[in-house]
């Protein structure tokens, strides 16, 4: 079997621990009727006749997906060649707008989207799934190669991750060993950060830091050899406070922060916080400015946060069979082709464990990085508190 | 077309621009609203035109009510069959002279060669033929003004309203245009309502004059009557040409008119009740004598302001100053003593307090 | 029986009134505009207010699972206005926003006014080029100016890659010149001064110079003439410029995000945007409403200054002539200086963009690196994921056509509505209803685009009281464009109509020319430059607007802005830059064509002054 497998088993356990059980409240009758008719949810057959699904999808004529990823619209051609007669309609909206738009439409009784393909696990879970606006669907034949936490309660296509990047020109090896190093005065004015006030995923990222207060406190003791004296509610906040004291520069998008962090002419070390791992594929590419940056892969207490990127079928999707086809397409084949292909890049890890890793030289095996897996429940619970604290403390 | 205005009132907040005015404009007449700036003339005109809505009162045109506050009638301007020449001319700057005039005609269904003919006729009436292709900015003030008139008469309205049409022109042009206007009125036979603050214009053009002040009509008569027999001190003053002599006088028991410290004279005609009055006398109603005459009062020449055939003298006696006008007969020099008498029937006595004319 | 008589009488009167009294077209128009505004503005505004006052679906995070969505609460107001967040959430950003707005207003009026004066009132050299270049900065997306600024000024000293100035001169600009309030003000000022130029040159063209000359004759100094005569008379135009500069600078997100965030310089626009994206729409709305309240004060001052009594009619229908100031030996020097300035602020960012689009490899400014690959290349596998050059992608052409269609249609509708509103405001001054119309037409300026689009989705997507189902239709995009951009066209319309003497219209009404013809034949031709300006401003804005449409577009009605968004998101920097250049070219070409058509159809108003 594959070497990633043990990791996924660990991940399963971790997610199972934090995942609420009995996830979705009882389904209303009319939604249930629709599920039955669409062969979804509890009515999904244990074996799909894909030929029949395709024929039905062709009758439906198209599939509509709201996606956070710019990598989806270019798939149109391939999808339509594979499934003639099914038009591929992708709305690239970004995570926040995808969720917001789907929710507004569902509330207004407009059923336009078939699939929502985006991250934002906490928001999707609480705002959409618990209100019966989205439903999980996994091709039955793939159940064995997709760990449970990527199937239930919501289906994930892959793992994404955020963490810390450093400038490899100024310091070939990671200049930091612990999160707490970032609070040292020598980093003053050298930190860049994707702004959690503007970017929802960065907000998730710092929320996760606060949520890891206990390991953070322990790590502080290890690094500085003394107990942390709290001036804020917990060690997570204390870390954020220390980082803010170094006056990081904020950027709207990770794409804006990367050229600063990876400046090939930099003479002093630079650090980027809340950088997206999948950007590693842009690094050192002369086409893209020959940026000199790499991810910190080993850090105490953890190097970054990994989180699932989801794809689920919307309530009353106008083209449920085409939606099923699309989900299967997104899972790709065992070679990592089809809809998985653009996501088989360094910094993304497919939910299918049978997929061979990319032969990209930058590919980093998941287990080489000490990630923390996103805890959607904790994030949902404390996020407003963290955001409030952040708003009140950023100067 | 006859226009009747009854109890018309227009207020703007606390300002009463037109105050309970009742007037009748004769069909085919040339009626002038005369008064100082701000007395409500333009407002009257605009209400007649239907551009302003009165607060109270009624306007009828040939017995058809076009405005009535009581009956809630307000006929829009376009359906009152009138034309209005604005003080600012209000020519449409983006249209040629031809287009300015043609627009109203076209609206009335005049097309093609008919249209061209009528525009030409209108322009000929104001003696502007050949200017069809010009834009307003390429015309002089007088020409613009005539285009404004042509634009209105081209549609042959029953009533033509003119708001101080000559006030922006030079003196020579003004004289010329007066003649043109009189001719136009004569040829077209329209009812004209004319607004001006210039008494000469009013006196020369009108068949009737309404003298206004503070939104009220003080006198409404033929020009001659207004001039010869002003109803109030204000009318007397406002119709002066060029000035009116005002004297504070006292009438004695004997009917003698005295001005303490200056003169005493016996006026002809029925005696006034004794008391204090304001005496107005026009310069031309004074006679000048080089020698003492019965009934003439001695004055000293202050300045000779003669111009042209007429003689204007400013004379003084103590604090009293008079302007007299005679056809040039006497030869005088400054400080020379002259004797002045007044033509009895042209002495106007006004109540010292109210300024109303006192009938003898 | 007796008691019923007054009623009967009243009924009779009412019937007579309805039947015989002439109902003025102004009242009909006011009623019509009220309906349109209720539909386009009041309904969304109402949604904003109610959203800010009720629990939303995401609010379980604040208040636990027991809240009832849609139930009244003051929570959001309390959090924003009276909590530990207040200082950073609203007070500080508001103060900065107002500072920025003030700075931008000054730049826009001073620079725009100076250019307008030079072009309209003097014999300065290179007039044609100046007039053309002076509008260019507005055609560029505002963020290109911000990026150009960074390309020049950023340096290692502020922890950023080297910019041109450091590269060439070794000079490291201080931080306050690289990030924060000062560069934001300058970048926005550069972006919006064309407004000042367009509005003020229009007003100066219409201004009868006799008014100024009479002041000269009375012995006033030039300065006195300027401040006591010229300024007051063109005040409506100045106020329009100030208002536009104010509204645009408080509403712009891109520039403060690029130049402000790195220095933690948050303004209200960034704050609203971030609250919206992090599930705090209600709080975003509270901030937006607070901003509206402040803007209402600005509007009130506007009314006070303009008053209902003073009249600023410039097109009087009476002839007059302009005078031209001879600059003498300064003629060429002044022209050259102005040209230099315009090239620096207008052409430089554009050239930078063009250059960047021609770079085979990002960030390599050597000549050998120039290539047309990102324009017309067929797409090389392995480079930009095999994406072809921008001119090779048929989707870009569809997007272009849709954007042009939307911009021109939206612009025309806005332009007409703007003239109608301006007409009412100018003719029926002081009426409460008309004031209401003016105020309400201003509101959309202050509702952030992204929120505006989201509200429209909720209100109009599904058929109902307000409209048939418009989801996914072009009509919905048009509607939201008109709703959001109306204020700009309304400002243009108001200042134009204020300048036209009402007697010009009255002369026509005396001639029995019906209202629609008076509008078509007299008012419209006279205000046509303003209509055109309003239309083009809406067009240009629409071409680049993204956040307004992000909730409403569908792939069928792809827009240029969504394509540009995609290029940027994927990180195809040169393709994104090439596409931006294409956008600018499209805007310039369409604007030029519209102006040309206008001129061919005799739209040039004969000079009236
Ligand atoms: N639109 C208006 N609003 C307020 N007051 C006005 C208006 N038009 C005229 N007035 C006032 O009404 C009075 C009469 O004005 P008007 O009829 O124009 O006088 P005239 O034409 O005799 O000079 C003046 O006191 C003037 O100030
Ligand atoms: Mg007047």
């Amino acid at each position: 079997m594959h070497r990633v497998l043990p990791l996924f088993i660990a991940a399963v356990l971790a997610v199972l621990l934090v995942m609420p059980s009995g996830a979705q409240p009882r389904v209303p009758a009319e939604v249930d009727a629709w599920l039955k008719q669409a062969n979804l949810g509890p009515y999904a057959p244990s074996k799909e006749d894909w030929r029949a699904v395709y024929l039905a999808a062709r009758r439906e004529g198209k599939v509509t997906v709201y996606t956070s990823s710019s990598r989806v619209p270019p798939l149109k051609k391939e999808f339509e060649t594979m499934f003639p007669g099914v038009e591929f309609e992708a709305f690239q909206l970004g995570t926040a707008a995808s969720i917001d738009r789907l929710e507004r439409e569902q509330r207004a009784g407009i059923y336009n989207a078939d699939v929502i393909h985006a991250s934002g696990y906490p928001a999707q879970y609480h705002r959409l799934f618990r209100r019966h606006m989205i439903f999980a669907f996994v091709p039955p034949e793939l159940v064995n190669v997709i760990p449970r936490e990527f199937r239930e309660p919501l289906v994930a296509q892959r793992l994404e991750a955020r963490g810390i990047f450093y400038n490899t020109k100024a310091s070939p090896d990671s200049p930091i060993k612990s999160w707490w190093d970032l609070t040292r005065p020598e980093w003053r004015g050298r930190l860049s950060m994707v702004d959690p006030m503007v970017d929802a995923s960065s907000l998730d990222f710092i929320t996760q830091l606060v949520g890891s207060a206990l390991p953070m406190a322990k790590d502080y003791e290890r690094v500085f050899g003394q107990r942390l004296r709290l001036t804020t509610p917990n060690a997570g906040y204390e870390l954020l406070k220390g980082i803010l004291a170094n006056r990081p520069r904020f950027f709207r998008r990770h794409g804006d922060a990367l050229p600063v962090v990876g400046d090939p002419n930099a003479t002093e070390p630079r650090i980027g916080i809340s950088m997206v791992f999948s950007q590693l594929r842009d690094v050192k590419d002369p086409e893209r400015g020959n940026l000199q940056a790499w991810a910190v892969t080993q850090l105490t207490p953890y190097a970054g946060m990994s989180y699932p990127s989801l794809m689920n079928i919307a309530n009353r999707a106008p083209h449920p069979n085409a939606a099923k086809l699309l989900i299967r397409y997104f899972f790709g084949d065992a070679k990592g082709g089809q809809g998985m292909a653009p996501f088989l890049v360094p910094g993304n890890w497919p939910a299918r464990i049978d997929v061979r890793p990319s032969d990209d030289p930058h590919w980093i095996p998941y287990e080489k990085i000490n990630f923390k897996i996103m805890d959607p429940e904790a994030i949902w619970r404390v996020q407003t508190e963290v955001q409030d604290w952040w708003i009140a403390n950023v100067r | 077309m006859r226009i009747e205005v009854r109890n018309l009132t227009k207020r703007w907040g606390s300002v009463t621009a037109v105050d309970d005015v009742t007037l009748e404009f004769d069909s085919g007449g040339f009626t002038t609203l005369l008064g100082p700036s701000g007395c409500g003339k333009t407002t009257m005109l605009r209400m007649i035109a239907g551009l302003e809505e009165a607060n109270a009162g009624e306007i009828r045109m040939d017995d058809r009510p076009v405005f009535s506050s009581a009956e809630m009638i307000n006929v829009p301007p376009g359906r009152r069959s009138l034309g209005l020449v604005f003080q600012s001319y209000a020519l449409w700057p983006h249209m040629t002279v031809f287009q300015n005039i043609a627009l109203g005609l076209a609206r009335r269904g005049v097309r093609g060669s008919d249209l061209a003919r009528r525009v030409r006729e209108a322009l000929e009436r104001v003696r502007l033929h050949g200017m069809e292709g010009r834009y307003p900015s390429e015309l002089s003030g007088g020409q613009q003004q005539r285009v404004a008139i042509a634009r209105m008469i081209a549609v042959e309205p029953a009533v033509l309203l003119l708001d101080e049409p000559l006030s922006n022109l030079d003196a020579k042009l003004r004289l010329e245009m007066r003649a043109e206007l009189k001719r136009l009125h004569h040829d077209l036979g329209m009812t004209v309502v004319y607004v001006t603050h210039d008494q000469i214009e009013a006196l020369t053009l009108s068949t009737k004059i309404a003298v206004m002040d503070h939104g009220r009509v003080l006198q409404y008569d033929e020009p001659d009557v207004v001039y010869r027999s002003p109803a109030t001190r204000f009318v007397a003053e406002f119709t002066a040409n060029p000035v009116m002599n005002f004297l504070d006088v006292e009438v004695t028991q004997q009917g003698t008119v005295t001005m303490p410290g200056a003169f005493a004279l016996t006026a002809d005609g029925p005696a006034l009740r004794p008391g204090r009055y304001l005496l107005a006398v026009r310069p031309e109603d004074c006679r000048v004598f080089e020698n003492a005459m019965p009934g003439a009062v001695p004055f000293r020449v202050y300045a000779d302001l003669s111009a042209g055939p007429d003689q204007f003298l400013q004379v003084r006696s103590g604090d009293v100053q008079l302007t007299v006008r005679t056809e040039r007969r006497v030869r005088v020099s400054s400080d020379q003593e002259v004797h002045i008498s007044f033509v009895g029937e042209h002495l106007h006595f006004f109540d010292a307090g109210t300024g109303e004319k006192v009938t003898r | 029986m007796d008691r019923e008589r007054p009623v009967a009488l009243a009924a009779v009167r009412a019937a007579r009134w309805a039947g015989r009294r002439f109902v003025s077209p102004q009242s009909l128009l006011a009623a019509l505009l009220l309906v349109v505004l209720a539909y386009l503005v009041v309904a969304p505004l109402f949604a904003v207010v109610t959203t800010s006052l009720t629990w939303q679906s995401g609010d379980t995070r604040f208040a636990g699972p027991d809240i009832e969505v849609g139930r009244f609460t003051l929570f959001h107001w309390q959090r924003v206005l009276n909590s530990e967040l207040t200082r950073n959430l609203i007070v500080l950003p508001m103060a900065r926003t107002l500072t920025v707005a003030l700075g931008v207003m000054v730049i826009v009026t001073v620079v725009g006014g100076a250019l307008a004066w030079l072009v309209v009132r003097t014999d300065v050299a290179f007039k044609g080029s100046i007039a053309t270049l002076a509008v260019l900065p507005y055609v560029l997306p505002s963020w290109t100016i911000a990026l150009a600024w960074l390309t020049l000024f950023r340096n290692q000293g502020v922890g950023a890659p080297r910019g041109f100035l450091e590269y060439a001169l070794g000079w490291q600009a201080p931080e306050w010149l690289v990030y924060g309030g000062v560069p934001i003000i300058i970048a926005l000022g550069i972006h919006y001064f064309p407004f000042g130029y367009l509005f003020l040159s229009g007003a100066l063209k219409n201004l009868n110079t006799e008014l100024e000359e009479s002041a000269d004759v009375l012995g006033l100094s030039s300065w006195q003439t300027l401040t006591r005569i010229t300024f007051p008379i063109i005040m409506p135009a100045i106020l329009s410029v100030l208002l536009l500069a104010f509204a645009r600078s408080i509403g712009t997100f891109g520039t403060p995000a690029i130049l402000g965030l790195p220095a933690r310089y948050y303004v209200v626009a960034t704050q609203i945007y971030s609250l919206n994206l992090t599930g705090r729409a209600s709080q975003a709305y509270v901030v937006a409403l607070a901003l509206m309240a402040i803007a209402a004060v600005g509007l009130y001052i506007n009314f006070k200054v303009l008053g209902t009594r003073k009249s600023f009619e410039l097109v009087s229908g009476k002839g007059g002539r302009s005078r031209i100031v001879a600059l003498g030996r300064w003629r060429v020097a002044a022209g050259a200086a102005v040209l230099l300035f315009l090239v620096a602020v207008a052409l430089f960012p554009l050239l930078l963009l063009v250059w960047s689009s021609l770079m085979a490899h990002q960030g390599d400014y050597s000549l050998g690196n120039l290539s047309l690959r990102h324009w017309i290349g067929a797409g090389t596998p392995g480079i930009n994921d095999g994406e072809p050059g921008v001119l090779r992608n048929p989707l870009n052409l569809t997007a272009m056509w849709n954007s042009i269609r939307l911009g021109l249609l939206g612009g025309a509708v806005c332009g007409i509505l703007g003239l109608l509103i301006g007409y009412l405001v100018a003719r029926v001054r002081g009426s409460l209803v008309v004031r209401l119309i003016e105020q309400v037409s201003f509101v959309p300026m202050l509702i952030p685009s992204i929120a505006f689009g989201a509200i429209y989705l909720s209100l109009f997507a599904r058929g109902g009281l307000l409209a048939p189902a418009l989801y996914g239709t072009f009509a919905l995009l048009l509607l939201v464009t008109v709703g959001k951009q109306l204020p700009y066209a309304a400002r243009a319309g108001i200042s134009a109509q204020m300048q036209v003497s009402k007697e010009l219209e009255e002369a026509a009404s005396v001639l029995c020319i019906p209202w629609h013809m008076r509008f078509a034949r007299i008012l419209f031709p006279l205000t046509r430059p303003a209509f055109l300006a309003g239309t083009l401003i809406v067009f240009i804005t629409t071409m680049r607007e993204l956040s307004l449409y992000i909730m409403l577009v569908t792939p069928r009605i792809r827009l240029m802005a969504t394509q540009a968004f995609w290029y940027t998101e994927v990180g195809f920097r040169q393709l994104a830059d090439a596409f931006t250049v294409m956008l600018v070219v499209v805007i310039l070409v369409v604007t030029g064509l519209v102006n040309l058509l206008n001129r061919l159809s005799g739209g040039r108003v004969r000079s009236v002054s």
Side-chain angles (χ1 to χ4, degrees), chain C residues 412-430:
Chain C
V413 175
C414 279
I416 290 171
L417 283 176
L419 282 190
L420 292 176
I421 291 172
Y423 170 78
L424 271 190
V425 171
R427 284 300 163 276
V428 199
R429 285 188 208 171

Side-chain angles (χ1 to χ4, degrees), chain B residues 32-293:
Chain B
T32 297
L33 302 176
L34 173 68
S37 174
C39 71
K41 309 178 297 286
T42 297
T43 308
M44 270 291 290
L45 211 61
R46 289 173 59 84
M47 287 193 295
I48 295 171
L51 295 173
E52 218 80 74
E53 197 175 320
N55 297 98
E58 198 181 32
I59 303 172
R60 292 170 163 271
M61 299 179 83
D62 275 353
D63 294 326
R64 180 176 73 110
V66 292
F67 175 82
S68 164
S69 65
E71 292 180 65
M72 308 234 173
I73 294 170
N74 191 6
V75 175
R79 280 190 246 134
R80 294 188 181 190
S81 180
L82 43 76
L84 168 61
V85 176
F86 292 89
Q87 191 172 1
S88 69
Y89 313 148
L91 294 180
W92 300 311
H94 58 299
M95 296 185 184
T96 59
V97 167
F98 183 92
Q99 289 167 331
N100 261 281
I101 299 172
L103 191 61
L105 286 169
R107 166 69 189 147
R108 283 161 182 75
V110 185
R111 297 271 181 279
S113 59
D114 243 12
L115 181 70
R117 183 179 52 78
R118 295 213 17 207
V119 171
R120 202 177 56 242
E121 279 172 11
L123 278 174
E124 271 164 14
R125 282 223 173 282
V126 297
R127 300 204 286 136
L128 269 185
H129 36 269
M131 301 267 186
E132 283 91 339
R134 302 251 191 120
Y135 282 92
S137 59
E138 298 162 347
L139 298 174
S140 73
Q143 290 168 328
Q144 289 180 12
Q145 196 261 343
R146 280 184 279 169
V147 175
I149 294 176
R151 177 171 71 178
M152 288 300 159
I153 60 173
V155 299
E156 295 173 356
V159 179
L160 185 62
L161 310 173
L162 296 145
D163 192 356
E164 311 216 14
L166 307 186
S167 62
N168 293 316
L169 308 183
D170 60 64
K172 191 161 159 287
L173 203 57
R174 212 176 308 178
L175 256 165
E176 256 175 58
M177 282 310 295
R178 269 186 220 158
E180 297 292 336
L181 284 174
K182 210 152 190 172
R183 210 48 234 178
L184 238 131
H185 176 232
H186 178 262
D187 293 351
L188 299 175
M190 291 175 299
T191 308
V192 172
V193 181
Y194 188 92
V195 161
T196 185
H197 63 264
D198 180 335
Q199 81 284 10
I200 314 281
E201 232 167 82
L203 294 168
T204 43
L205 288 170
S206 323
T207 55
K208 256 183 144 176
I209 297 178
V211 184
M212 295 183 64
D213 189 33
H214 286 109
R216 292 172 173 276
V217 172
L218 303 178
Q219 185 170 14
Y220 185 43
D221 270 314
E222 274 98 62
D224 205 41
V225 180
V226 171
Y227 192 77
R228 282 290 144 217
S229 178
T232 69
R233 179 208 156 126
F234 178 84
V235 175
E237 189 170 16
F238 201 74
T239 54
N241 179 22
V243 290
M244 177 67 107
N245 296 307
F246 284 104
L247 302 166
D248 291 310
V249 297
E250 214 174 309
V251 175
T252 61
Q253 293 290 354
Q254 294 76 33
T256 317
V257 181
T258 63
M259 194 163 174
F263 63 82
L265 52 84
T266 323
D268 298 338
L272 293 162
R273 268 194 285 136
R276 302 180 69 79
Y277 292 93
L278 190 69
L279 169 63
V281 55
R282 295 193 189 277
E284 67 264 33
D285 293 332
C286 303
R287 297 281 133 76
V288 184
F289 304 100
E290 281 159 279
N291 305 312
M293 292 282 288

Side-chain angles (χ1 to χ4, degrees), chain B residues 239-355:
Chain B
T239 54
N241 179 22
V243 290
M244 177 67 107
N245 296 307
F246 284 104
L247 302 166
D248 291 310
V249 297
E250 214 174 309
V251 175
T252 61
Q253 293 290 354
Q254 294 76 33
T256 317
V257 181
T258 63
M259 194 163 174
F263 63 82
L265 52 84
T266 323
D268 298 338
L272 293 162
R273 268 194 285 136
R276 302 180 69 79
Y277 292 93
L278 190 69
L279 169 63
V281 55
R282 295 193 189 277
E284 67 264 33
D285 293 332
C286 303
R287 297 281 133 76
V288 184
F289 304 100
E290 281 159 279
N291 305 312
M293 292 282 288
V297 186
F299 277 82
R300 193 166 294 283
V301 174
Y302 186 70
D304 184 348
L305 299 169
S306 304
D310 284 355
Q311 183 171 35
F312 281 92
L313 291 181
Q314 251 185 35
V315 296
R316 285 188 175 177
S317 168
D319 290 345
V320 182
Q321 177 180 307
L322 286 181
T323 304
V324 297
R325 170 182 167 193
T326 61
E327 284 148 35
R328 189 177 278 274
R329 256 183 294 152
V330 275
R331 187 157 290 284
V332 290
S333 57
S334 292
D335 287 336
Q336 180 187 333
E337 192 178 77
V338 291
H339 298 262
I340 309 283
S341 77
F342 305 126
V343 182
E345 69 262 35
H346 295 317
L347 295 184
H348 314 292
F349 289 93
F350 301 103
D351 188 287
T354 63

Side-chain angles (χ1 to χ4, degrees), chain C residues 240-271:
Chain C
S240 284
V241 169
L242 289 177
L243 267 178
L244 283 177
F246 177 77
R248 287 291 193 196
S249 46
I250 64 176
T252 306
F253 167 75
T255 304
I258 292 169
L259 295 173
L261 293 190
R264 296 162 303 278
Y265 194 90
Y266 291 102
V267 296
V268 170
T270 24
Q271 211 59 279

Side-chain angles (χ1 to χ4, degrees), chain C residues 136-147:
Chain C
L136 193 56
Y138 185 63
V139 176
L140 299 173
S142 66
W143 54 263
T144 58
I145 296 171
L147 284 182

Side-chain angles (χ1 to χ4, degrees), chain A residues 66 70 89 92 101 103-105 108 112 131 195 197 247-249 263 270 287 387-388 391 394-395, chain C residues 57 79 85 88 156 158 161 264 266 274 278 280 362 373 458 461-462 471 551 553 556 566 571:
Chain A
Y66 292 180
S70 52
E89 191 182 62
Q92 188 214 328
R101 181 160 171 177
E103 186 187 0
R104 274 174 193 278
E105 286 174 354
N112 180 61
R131 296 196 170 94
D195 193 344
M197 296 264 272
R247 305 190 71 72
R249 300 217 176 279
D263 176 12
R270 292 196 192 147
E287 287 288 319
Q387 192 180 1
D388 282 351
I391 290 172
V394 168
R395 293 283 141 85
Chain C
S57 73
R79 287 304 283 165
L85 305 183
N88 279 0
Q156 302 268 350
V158 298
R264 296 162 303 278
Y266 291 102
S274 80
T278 48
R280 296 185 174 210
Q362 226 173 71
R373 180 201 293 169
S458 307
R462 202 150 73 130
Y471 188 83
M551 300 291 275
V553 281
R556 273 182 306 279
W566 180 73

